[in-house]
Amino acid sequence: MMRFMLLFSRQGKLRLQKWYLATADKDKKKMVRELMQVVLARKPKMCSFLEWRDLKVVYKRYASLYFCCAIEGQDNELITLELIHRYVELLDKYFGSVCELDIIFNFEKAYFILDEFVMGGEIQDTSKKSVLKAIEQADLLQEEDESPRSVLEEMGLA
Amino acid sequence: MSDVVERTLSALPGLLGQHDPGAGPGGAGGPGRVSASSRLGSLIRSITALTSKHEEEKLIQQELTSLKATVSAPTTTLRLMKECMVRLIYCEMLGYESSFGYIHAIKLAQQGNLLEKRVGYLAVSLFLHENHELLLLLVNTVVKDLQSTNLVEVCMALTVVSQIFPREMIPAVLPLIEDKLQHSKEIIRRKAVQALYKFYLIAPNQVQHIHDKFRKALCDRDAGVMAASLHIYLQMIKENSSGYKDLTGSFVTILKQVVGGKLSADFNYHSVPAPWLQIQLLRILGLLGKDDPSELMYDVLDESLRRAEINHNITYAILFECVQTIYTIYPKSELLEKAAKCIGKFVLSPKINLKYLGLKALTYVIQQDPSLALQHQMTIIECLDHPDPIIKRETLELLYRITNGQNVTVIVQKMLDYLKEGQEEYAIISLVGKIAELAEKYAPNNEWFIQTMNAVFSVGGDVVHSDIPNNFLRLLAEGFDDEKEDHQLRMYAVQSYLALLEEEDKLYPQKFLQVMSWVLGEYFSLVTDVDPEDILTKLHSLLKKTFVTSETKAWIMAAVTKIASHTSCSKTVDELIQELSSSLDTCLRQYAFELKYLCEDKALMKSLLPFDASCSDLVVDASLSFLDGFVAEGLGHGAAPYKPHHQRQEEKLSQQKALNFEPYGLSFTSSVSSSGVTGRQSPTGLSFGSDISGNSAETGHKETNTLKLEGVRKLWGKEGYLPKKENKIGKENEQETVPCESLLAGEVGEPPALQPDQGASLSEEDKEKQQLASTLFIGLGSSAGVSLMGKADTATQKFKRKSKINEAQQLNEEALDFQNSAASDFGPLLDTVPINVEDSEGSMHTRLRKASPCSSDIVEDNLAFETPQSVRKSVLDHRISANRLSQSSLFADSNIEIFQPSSSAQCESASEAPLVPSLPEELEELPHSEVVRLCQSDALALHLCKVWTDDSLLLIVFVSNETTSALHAVNLVFEETEHFQILESATLQFPVIEAQSVEHCQKCVRMNKVCTKAILPGSVSYQSEMEIRLEFSVTLSLMDFIRPMEMTTEDFGKLWLSLSNDVKQNIKMSSCQDSFPAALDTLQQKLKLHRVDVIGNEGILACQLLPSVPCLLHCRTHSGMLALWFRSPSAALPDGLLYQCQKVMEESSEQQCLP
């Protein structure tokens, strides 16, 4: 089971964090800080896997953004690497060639996509098509939902 | 794909100024692109533009203040609230607390439309943790959304449930989620299964009743739902693999279909069919096939290996899982061969990730297949100097698994080098532990051992596990068989510490200083050429250092006191006393005063601190019996008898008729450890301080001491350090096998690394590496030679080892022992079963009638011991023992199940299997257990029988020679543990045992430290071609040592008042056993208690722990409860008996309540 996922920039700014196992706030902050330091200190040609505390960490850098997953002892490292890759593919497809700025400004969308893709620390839907369909469906509903509401609001204001 | 991302900006602030990211660099604005001109956008932009952390803080605080005002204003629309939540999430991500918004997040999830609800749920799942009190407010919303007709709302509710949900509220939503398993949309079914998976993880008992629904999910027509259910199954199988063996076939079929590409292309990932699903199934199969023949799986595993051949990471992921599964399940040679090849592919890959996994796989299989390490030795050597520390660490892990007496120095050196490069805490802890373990096991000599341990303590610092210093000191203190060696080791330790302390300003970790001061205090006199005054000066200067903690100072003071007791007046000691008498640290001050007074009476001091007595037991009068006179006098003058705290409280409560807030059922283990007063001396050796002052440091040691020593394997002195002879033999083997390996190496096409002569054509560097290889893989040489000659088939080699006992000394002895015993266990069972059937036929009638009380009668530890046949026999014996009641004084008033085979059975077993030992006649009459086999090799077998005499527990050990020639120098040793003491001597020697004959001997055992059950380890060794050793262990329980104690009511009354340790407990009696006499009978029979007197609903019983520690029990019934009150001079005994009482009462209530 995945324990948590972090996205952070090369400058050490956290962009997204998702915890799948209840962890105290204080510990979270400490772990994020420590792990960022460890990962950022690693050189480009080094192995993507780390043994860190009692966990295994799998990370990969895409442009200026690091994607970093902590998994448990028995989990498969390589498939986790592919999980990260599939997530990036999803983001890319959704935003249309994604960049760090998309994730900075629309981080809630990045969370929604992740929630549709991974649930409770386990991969939920491996099909790119169906994940995006689910997200778009929700987005669509919202837009339909939104327009009458804004008219009403205007009326209310008037 | 990554190229696309690569195109994006590297410098953020520069770009921000130039264009609006809302338009996006790709230009193809997705459906969800929010304009960066929003308030969030401006917030982010202004933060990125800032240069200092301080400014950021200021800006965020401003933002938070304005947000706080907005969210709490009643006019705020939900739409604005949504925007505020996103901003709050952003602030939290930057590390700023915004708890004022949490409640609004919940409100938003409750009241908002879809868009707002989604943000509300997201905010809740990011802000709150599982135990947050606000979470309860979410339950209602979730319930409402689960019932919604809008699919998106249901999906959101399921998502949030799987992310965060209060455990105790699961029942509120469980039925709704169960319903969703029948939903027509597969996405809902899938999410419902994953929500249940989460519930299973956080509260498995809450979903216990719906296991059949999991099965339905497994059979779902949609592959996605089925895949989701595998998460639950993996978890359940992890916990109990035997319960799901029947599903093996189904999992194999599913995997076959997946591998065969039967799933829709939607599940493909880079044209590989459903890799996540495959890996999940492989893991499940690995767990299911662990100990059983796994015929069903072989085909599909082979297929998986074959199909996964395209070079992509995802196929490697599957291959890796396949290899692990193949090595985990019951072995199959062809598959192992293929898996080994596969590992080779990983190890030799130029891609660093694959290489790392290759090393991991090697580490995993190395013990089964050491030759594989030899094949890849050059790669391993290269990895040892890899620039990536992770690769290095994995390589060291691999080497750790192949360490033996010959390569230990090189490997430990490599590990220490790695540590010195500076690692994070977790790495240090684990590696230091490994080094210490290897050093104890394989140390070639004293100097090396001490030096290595010094390195461990200085590099490991204070993060080392406290086991390490404790074990090390214990080892020094207890020593091993050879006095001279002990002496040398201790002397060397003292010398090396003195040398280390020579350097004035060096900082050593606290734990190291503690070890040093204990050793110096205990063994300073072994070094004759150093003046004790010098040592005292050094310790004195340490006491003055500020970096030394007060805990360490306590250790140092203990050392000083010990040294002082063996020197006539010392200036340093006087100085020290003077200095510390006014110390601000109360503990130190106390030590100083103690030292001062002790110094005035040297004779007393010497008797108090004898030399090298750290291992001798201290007799502590835990009952404080020397105060008995004082107490009696007090009572005589009319003082109220002492009542312990909990009793007083109970009485007070019962007077007030208030609720009883005390928890029922005292946990036995905790009470024993807290009252383990009679344990070994604490490592500081200064118990006079600890008892009175109770200072925290001292009691701290005591606790860790009693805790850690249990279950710690003694590695030193057995296969590890002592048998130097064996090493020599090993080396001779080495020389023999090396040539034959190099011959074959040419054929196999391997670099002949073990042959230094061939290095002529190689470069310097390669030569160096080869040299290293030959030192590292030295121990593996011989076994590899064997495997190479055996048609170079590594896989069959592994197989052979499973079925046949290999005599090679290099192999893992433990594994051998296990196989031996496994194989031998079948023998006697088959031999004796027919006899028993015959025997029991006659008593069939009685058995049927008495079945239930009988099985309950078996003394608890017998259960652990006896095979089903003896249970059957015991039915028969029940009758016999009833007839013999008058003969046996000990169990005269009880029906304890005792093994007393009828004479006819004995004759038959004797004639059929001559080597099954039987008890000598004089013991046959006494109550005793079944004869069980302890261990066996092909030459010798060991059997054991417990005999419970009135005043002791006798262990009768039978040593049978199963060969056709005489065995010489058979040596039987019981190891004394902290729990048990062997009377007379713990060793037994048989100079010779004739062929096909059985020798027996008996040992009387005492329980020193009360425990419910513990293991008494031992070993037997004999001389055949070389010395062979077998280890065994005997489980002894408290009840083996409890006997009834006869006394009159008056004696009972007197004794009762004089005893100080008492324990009270109420046990609930079930409705069907509420008669008081029945309860008393149960206690009397099962616990061997003597019934002293019964008056109305009160009864008194007495028993003793051998040799003569009494324990008195007073019991009383009131309103369905049985109140037990124990008293004993031993602190732990009442707890132990209470535990047994609770157990037998529970058992008997279960039986009696059965219809």
Short mmCIF file of all heavy atoms in Angstrom, two decimals, chain B residues 41-69:
data_model
loop_
_atom_site.label_atom_id
_atom_site.label_comp_id
_atom_site.label_asym_id
_atom_site.label_seq_id
_atom_site.Cartn_x
_atom_site.Cartn_y
_atom_site.Cartn_z
N GLY B 41 -4.69 33.00 -7.71
CA GLY B 41 -3.60 33.29 -8.63
C GLY B 41 -2.76 34.44 -8.12
O GLY B 41 -1.53 34.36 -8.09
N SER B 42 -3.41 35.48 -7.68
CA SER B 42 -2.62 36.63 -7.25
C SER B 42 -1.86 36.32 -5.97
O SER B 42 -0.73 36.77 -5.78
CB SER B 42 -3.52 37.85 -7.07
OG SER B 42 -4.57 37.55 -6.19
N LEU B 43 -2.48 35.53 -5.12
CA LEU B 43 -1.78 35.14 -3.90
C LEU B 43 -0.50 34.37 -4.26
O LEU B 43 0.59 34.68 -3.77
CB LEU B 43 -2.69 34.26 -3.03
CG LEU B 43 -2.02 33.60 -1.83
CD1 LEU B 43 -1.62 34.65 -0.79
CD2 LEU B 43 -2.93 32.57 -1.18
N ILE B 44 -0.66 33.38 -5.14
CA ILE B 44 0.49 32.57 -5.51
C ILE B 44 1.57 33.44 -6.15
O ILE B 44 2.75 33.31 -5.85
CB ILE B 44 0.06 31.45 -6.48
CG1 ILE B 44 -0.89 30.48 -5.75
CG2 ILE B 44 1.27 30.68 -6.99
CD1 ILE B 44 -1.49 29.44 -6.64
N ARG B 45 1.12 34.32 -7.01
CA ARG B 45 2.10 35.14 -7.69
C ARG B 45 2.86 36.05 -6.74
O ARG B 45 4.07 36.18 -6.82
CB ARG B 45 1.43 35.98 -8.77
CG ARG B 45 1.89 35.49 -10.16
CD ARG B 45 1.25 36.25 -11.22
NE ARG B 45 -0.21 36.11 -11.11
CZ ARG B 45 -1.04 36.59 -12.01
NH1 ARG B 45 -0.58 37.25 -13.04
NH2 ARG B 45 -2.33 36.43 -11.87
N SER B 46 2.13 36.63 -5.82
CA SER B 46 2.86 37.55 -4.92
C SER B 46 3.81 36.77 -4.01
O SER B 46 4.87 37.26 -3.65
CB SER B 46 1.89 38.40 -4.11
OG SER B 46 0.78 37.64 -3.73
N ILE B 47 3.43 35.53 -3.68
CA ILE B 47 4.33 34.74 -2.84
C ILE B 47 5.59 34.37 -3.61
O ILE B 47 6.70 34.44 -3.09
CB ILE B 47 3.61 33.48 -2.32
CG1 ILE B 47 2.68 33.89 -1.19
CG2 ILE B 47 4.61 32.44 -1.84
CD1 ILE B 47 1.91 32.78 -0.60
N THR B 48 5.42 33.98 -4.86
CA THR B 48 6.59 33.58 -5.64
C THR B 48 7.53 34.76 -5.83
O THR B 48 8.73 34.59 -5.98
CB THR B 48 6.17 33.04 -7.02
OG1 THR B 48 4.80 32.67 -6.95
CG2 THR B 48 7.01 31.87 -7.42
N ALA B 49 6.97 35.95 -5.86
CA ALA B 49 7.81 37.12 -6.10
C ALA B 49 8.64 37.50 -4.88
O ALA B 49 9.61 38.21 -4.98
CB ALA B 49 6.92 38.30 -6.51
N LEU B 50 8.23 36.98 -3.72
CA LEU B 50 8.94 37.35 -2.49
C LEU B 50 10.30 36.69 -2.42
O LEU B 50 10.52 35.63 -3.00
CB LEU B 50 8.11 36.95 -1.27
CG LEU B 50 6.76 37.66 -1.13
CD1 LEU B 50 6.02 37.12 0.06
CD2 LEU B 50 6.98 39.16 -1.00
N THR B 51 11.18 37.32 -1.66
CA THR B 51 12.52 36.77 -1.60
C THR B 51 12.84 36.15 -0.25
O THR B 51 13.65 35.24 -0.17
CB THR B 51 13.57 37.87 -1.90
OG1 THR B 51 13.21 39.02 -1.13
CG2 THR B 51 13.60 38.21 -3.37
N SER B 52 12.21 36.61 0.81
CA SER B 52 12.60 36.05 2.10
C SER B 52 11.45 35.31 2.76
O SER B 52 10.28 35.57 2.49
CB SER B 52 13.09 37.17 3.03
OG SER B 52 11.97 37.86 3.53
N LYS B 53 11.83 34.38 3.62
CA LYS B 53 10.85 33.59 4.36
C LYS B 53 10.01 34.50 5.26
O LYS B 53 8.81 34.29 5.43
CB LYS B 53 11.63 32.57 5.21
CG LYS B 53 10.79 31.59 5.98
CD LYS B 53 10.36 30.42 5.13
CE LYS B 53 9.30 29.63 5.88
NZ LYS B 53 8.48 28.80 5.02
N HIS B 54 10.67 35.51 5.77
CA HIS B 54 10.00 36.42 6.69
C HIS B 54 8.85 37.14 6.01
O HIS B 54 7.74 37.23 6.54
CB HIS B 54 11.02 37.42 7.24
CG HIS B 54 10.42 38.41 8.17
ND1 HIS B 54 9.94 38.05 9.41
CD2 HIS B 54 10.21 39.75 8.03
CE1 HIS B 54 9.46 39.13 10.01
NE2 HIS B 54 9.60 40.16 9.20
N GLU B 55 9.11 37.61 4.80
CA GLU B 55 8.08 38.32 4.04
C GLU B 55 6.92 37.40 3.74
O GLU B 55 5.76 37.80 3.82
CB GLU B 55 8.66 38.86 2.74
CG GLU B 55 9.51 40.11 2.93
CD GLU B 55 10.17 40.52 1.64
OE1 GLU B 55 10.64 39.63 0.90
OE2 GLU B 55 10.22 41.72 1.36
N GLU B 56 7.27 36.17 3.39
CA GLU B 56 6.23 35.20 3.08
C GLU B 56 5.31 35.02 4.27
O GLU B 56 4.09 35.05 4.16
CB GLU B 56 6.88 33.86 2.72
CG GLU B 56 5.86 32.78 2.37
CD GLU B 56 6.48 31.40 2.27
OE1 GLU B 56 7.26 31.16 1.35
OE2 GLU B 56 6.18 30.57 3.16
N GLU B 57 5.94 34.88 5.44
CA GLU B 57 5.17 34.69 6.65
C GLU B 57 4.18 35.84 6.86
O GLU B 57 3.02 35.63 7.17
CB GLU B 57 6.14 34.62 7.83
CG GLU B 57 5.71 33.68 8.92
CD GLU B 57 6.89 33.36 9.81
OE1 GLU B 57 7.78 32.58 9.39
OE2 GLU B 57 6.93 33.91 10.91
N LYS B 58 4.71 37.04 6.64
CA LYS B 58 3.88 38.21 6.86
C LYS B 58 2.67 38.21 5.91
O LYS B 58 1.52 38.41 6.32
CB LYS B 58 4.72 39.48 6.64
CG LYS B 58 4.52 40.51 7.74
CD LYS B 58 5.57 41.60 7.67
CE LYS B 58 5.17 42.73 6.75
NZ LYS B 58 6.25 43.73 6.59
N LEU B 59 2.98 37.92 4.66
CA LEU B 59 1.92 37.94 3.65
C LEU B 59 0.85 36.89 3.96
O LEU B 59 -0.35 37.16 3.87
CB LEU B 59 2.54 37.66 2.28
CG LEU B 59 1.58 37.83 1.11
CD1 LEU B 59 1.39 39.30 0.78
CD2 LEU B 59 2.09 37.09 -0.11
N ILE B 60 1.30 35.69 4.34
CA ILE B 60 0.35 34.60 4.61
C ILE B 60 -0.49 34.95 5.82
O ILE B 60 -1.71 34.72 5.83
CB ILE B 60 1.08 33.27 4.83
CG1 ILE B 60 1.82 32.84 3.56
CG2 ILE B 60 0.11 32.19 5.28
CD1 ILE B 60 0.95 32.21 2.53
N GLN B 61 0.13 35.52 6.83
CA GLN B 61 -0.65 35.89 8.02
C GLN B 61 -1.74 36.88 7.65
O GLN B 61 -2.88 36.78 8.10
CB GLN B 61 0.25 36.48 9.11
CG GLN B 61 1.16 35.47 9.82
CD GLN B 61 0.41 34.24 10.32
OE1 GLN B 61 -0.81 34.25 10.47
NE2 GLN B 61 1.13 33.16 10.56
N GLN B 62 -1.37 37.83 6.79
CA GLN B 62 -2.36 38.80 6.30
C GLN B 62 -3.50 38.09 5.60
O GLN B 62 -4.68 38.32 5.87
CB GLN B 62 -1.69 39.72 5.27
CG GLN B 62 -1.36 41.10 5.79
CD GLN B 62 -0.56 41.85 4.74
OE1 GLN B 62 -0.64 41.54 3.54
NE2 GLN B 62 0.22 42.82 5.18
N GLU B 63 -3.10 37.20 4.71
CA GLU B 63 -4.08 36.45 3.92
C GLU B 63 -5.01 35.66 4.85
O GLU B 63 -6.22 35.66 4.68
CB GLU B 63 -3.31 35.51 2.98
CG GLU B 63 -4.19 34.62 2.12
CD GLU B 63 -4.86 35.39 1.00
OE1 GLU B 63 -4.38 36.49 0.66
OE2 GLU B 63 -5.87 34.90 0.47
N LEU B 64 -4.40 35.01 5.85
CA LEU B 64 -5.20 34.20 6.77
C LEU B 64 -6.18 35.07 7.55
O LEU B 64 -7.32 34.68 7.77
CB LEU B 64 -4.29 33.43 7.73
CG LEU B 64 -3.58 32.20 7.13
CD1 LEU B 64 -2.64 31.57 8.14
CD2 LEU B 64 -4.60 31.18 6.64
N THR B 65 -5.73 36.24 7.94
CA THR B 65 -6.64 37.12 8.68
C THR B 65 -7.84 37.51 7.83
O THR B 65 -8.98 37.47 8.28
CB THR B 65 -5.89 38.41 9.11
OG1 THR B 65 -4.55 38.08 9.42
CG2 THR B 65 -6.56 39.07 10.28
N SER B 66 -7.55 37.84 6.58
CA SER B 66 -8.67 38.26 5.72
C SER B 66 -9.57 37.07 5.42
O SER B 66 -10.80 37.18 5.37
CB SER B 66 -8.15 38.91 4.44
OG SER B 66 -8.01 37.97 3.42
N LEU B 67 -8.96 35.88 5.26
CA LEU B 67 -9.77 34.67 5.01
C LEU B 67 -10.67 34.38 6.20
O LEU B 67 -11.83 34.02 6.05
CB LEU B 67 -8.85 33.47 4.77
CG LEU B 67 -8.34 33.29 3.34
CD1 LEU B 67 -7.29 32.21 3.27
CD2 LEU B 67 -9.49 32.97 2.40
N LYS B 68 -10.10 34.56 7.39
CA LYS B 68 -10.85 34.28 8.60
C LYS B 68 -12.09 35.17 8.67
O LYS B 68 -13.19 34.70 8.98
CB LYS B 68 -9.96 34.54 9.81
CG LYS B 68 -10.48 33.91 11.09
CD LYS B 68 -9.41 34.06 12.17
CE LYS B 68 -9.85 33.36 13.43
NZ LYS B 68 -8.79 33.39 14.45
N ALA B 69 -11.88 36.42 8.32
CA ALA B 69 -13.00 37.35 8.34
C ALA B 69 -14.05 36.94 7.31
O ALA B 69 -15.25 36.92 7.60
CB ALA B 69 -12.49 38.76 8.04
#
